[in-house]
Amino acid sequence: MSETSPAAAGGWPEPVVRVQALSESGATTIPARYVRPETERPLISSESSTDAGDDDEITNNIPVVDMSSAAAATAVAEACREWGFFQAVNHGVSPELLRRARGVWREFFHQPMEVKQMYANAPATYEGYGSRLGVHKGALLDWGDYYFLHVRPPHLLSPDKWPHLPPHLREATMRYSEEVRRLCERLMTAMAVGLGVGLGEGRLQEAFGGAEGAGVCLRVNYYPRCPQPELTLGLSSHSDPGGLTVLLVDDRVKGLQVRRGGAWVTVDPIPDAFIVNVGDQIQVVTNAAYRSVEHRVVVNAAEERLSMALFYNPKSDLPVAPLPELVSPPERPPLYTAMTFDDYRLYIRRNGPRGKTQVDHLAAKPPSADDDAHHPCRQ
Ligand code: OGA
Ligand code: NI
């Protein structure tokens, strides 16, 4: 570990800088570490919701699925096939709980820095208050802080990593996670049924190690105001490494962009809806019938933004591979070799967000030829 993570920086390769502190310093320019190369910079325009409009296929928003409808499974499957992203409405989680969950976390980030620093995270598990993803010294950084927690299975929940303040944070976060976890179970069923190849409704869940074994993690993202939003990103392009993600976005401020062909589509959130997306593990299990999609976050000068991403993941020590029912060589060979999620997520934890390079890489060659063998930071 010593090469990339001196103990002096809590396991990080260099001292951690809180983006919130940079934002509150009042500086009118951002440090060079946050300036993306020109090709990765967002096009900040106030009106249009796509920033590269030369593709005829582009529509302006991701599909909307009514989870209370009898046709929900079909609609979920179609959205997963066509977009890898959709907004779920009538999902059964009360708007009041959504507001409470967002509220307690907004309060958390608005506490004095000393309070937050007590929960400073380290790259070994990422749990706690963090400001970077990836451990490479000198890497470009994103304009965002976050809080990351393991919620399930119960033996992975570490109470000492959960903030004690504000007072209702723990209870609100548990209730929120529990309800969204149940929604994830319904989504897994809909995704299985909607595949339309006669899979039993519990088949995807089974491939994740059953409802009891599945992992739930929460990442609360806090994107402070940024004096030069046109030069940076709140979160660089990535696909989510896990199974599926249920995202609760800010009720006032846009920022999420989804890659569609060559363009970035800015999601226009429906109040109290969830944004659901396919992660890499669902792509692997379905042998790419459903595909994860790159997304990123843009920030702005006028307002901070808070989002809550709940990641629903396979049991972490279970080898995950394409379901045999979805493989029939020679027309449909297995596109991925088996890998546990524990091993899979080391890539993003070491390298930071890098588009879809990991899952594409898993398809191209066996995982044993580890492409970052020269970064020996085993977590
Ligand atoms: C994530 C993510 C999007 C957002 O946390 O993986 O993609 O809008 N978040 O914050
Ligand atoms: Ni994401």
Side-chain angles (χ1 to χ4, degrees):
M1 296 275 292
S2 58
E3 184 189 322
T4 48
S5 43
W12 299 106
E14 52 216 340
V16 171
V17 175
R18 302 302 177 188
V19 176
Q20 187 176 7
L22 292 174
S23 175
E24 289 172 1
S25 76
T28 54
T29 57
I30 62 174
R33 292 291 298 276
Y34 298 86
V35 177
R36 308 299 315 177
E38 249 165 73
T39 55
E40 291 175 24
R41 290 182 197 165
L43 195 114
I44 308 276
S45 66
S46 49
E47 285 307 310
S48 95
S49 59
T50 60
D51 63 12
D54 53 359
D55 184 337
D56 289 345
E57 298 281 301
I58 296 296
T59 56
N60 276 350
N61 213 346
I62 58 176
V64 177
V65 173
D66 180 350
M67 290 300 294
S68 67
S69 131
T74 314
V76 164
E78 188 180 324
C80 289
R81 261 203 199 92
E82 299 302 320
W83 279 81
F85 257 93
F86 61 92
Q87 301 204 60
V89 296
N90 297 325
H91 45 62
V93 184
S94 81
E96 189 263 334
L97 183 55
L98 306 186
R99 266 190 292 281
R100 272 191 75 208
R102 270 191 300 238
V104 291
W105 281 100
R106 217 180 266 286
E107 267 186 70
F108 173 81
F109 284 102
H110 287 164
Q111 293 176 113
M113 195 51 86
E114 314 84 77
V115 176
K116 290 176 291 209
Q117 290 292 22
M118 294 196 297
Y119 304 95
N121 77 345
T125 68
Y126 274 87
E127 288 171 283
Y129 180 47
S131 297
R132 66 184 285 166
L133 192 51
V135 294
H136 297 315
K137 194 167 180 170
L140 289 187
L141 299 176
D142 288 334
W143 192 264
D145 300 324
Y146 63 86
Y147 205 103
F148 183 72
L149 284 172
H150 286 284
V151 183
R152 280 186 68 88
H155 73 271
L156 289 182
L157 189 155
S158 328
D160 56 313
K161 304 282 188 194
W162 288 54
H164 293 81
L165 293 172
H168 298 296
L169 181 144
R170 288 178 178 224
E171 183 256 329
T173 305
M174 276 312 289
R175 261 191 64 203
Y176 175 81
S177 306
E178 200 46 34
E179 296 222 6
V180 179
R181 176 177 72 91
R182 274 196 239 125
L183 173 63
C184 289
E185 290 173 2
R186 287 169 54 208
L187 288 164
M188 292 286 281
T189 303
M191 284 181 189
V193 171
L195 269 172
V197 292
L199 283 189
E201 65 169 38
R203 195 66 180 97
L204 284 183
Q205 187 77 68
E206 224 172 88
F208 270 34
E212 287 310 305
V216 171
C217 300
L218 190 66
R219 182 178 150 116
V220 185
N221 297 294
Y222 179 73
Y223 307 103
R225 291 186 298 141
C226 177
Q228 294 180 297
E230 67 286 358
L231 299 183
T232 192
L233 290 169
L235 187 53
S236 304
S237 173
H238 65 284
S239 60
D240 292 342
L244 61 97
T245 304
V246 173
L247 183 75
L248 178 64
V249 293
D250 200 288
D251 44 357
R252 296 165 304 140
V253 188
K254 288 190 218 177
L256 175 65
Q257 296 189 321
V258 175
R259 193 180 186 79
R260 181 73 167 164
W264 289 101
V265 177
T266 301
V267 174
D268 202 353
I270 299 172
D272 299 329
F274 285 118
I275 297 170
V276 178
N277 65 283
V278 172
D280 294 347
Q281 303 301 307
I282 288 281
Q283 177 170 332
V284 170
V285 169
T286 63
N287 206 26
Y290 301 147
R291 298 178 59 84
S292 63
V293 172
E294 279 181 73
H295 52 285
R296 68 181 189 182
V297 174
V298 299
V299 290
N300 73 86
E303 302 206 69
E304 65 179 38
R305 178 170 176 271
L306 182 115
S307 71
M308 300 178 64
L310 185 136
F311 303 114
Y312 190 79
N313 301 327
K315 186 171 181 298
S316 66
D317 57 359
L318 185 77
V320 175
L323 284 171
E325 298 95 313
L326 301 176
V327 170
S328 56
E331 313 84 56
R332 286 193 302 171
L335 296 173
Y336 312 101
T337 46
M339 196 190 267
T340 68
F341 186 54
D342 273 338
D343 284 339
Y344 191 86
R345 71 171 151 200
L346 290 180
Y347 179 92
I348 191 166
R349 288 183 168 194
R350 288 188 198 127
N351 301 322
R354 293 194 180 181
K356 277 200 68 163
T357 53
Q358 182 179 17
V359 69
D360 291 348
H361 183 79
L362 183 60
K365 66 178 177 137
S368 54
D370 188 349
D371 78 327
D372 43 20
H374 49 288
H375 296 294
C377 174
R378 280 265 152 218
Q379 292 171 9

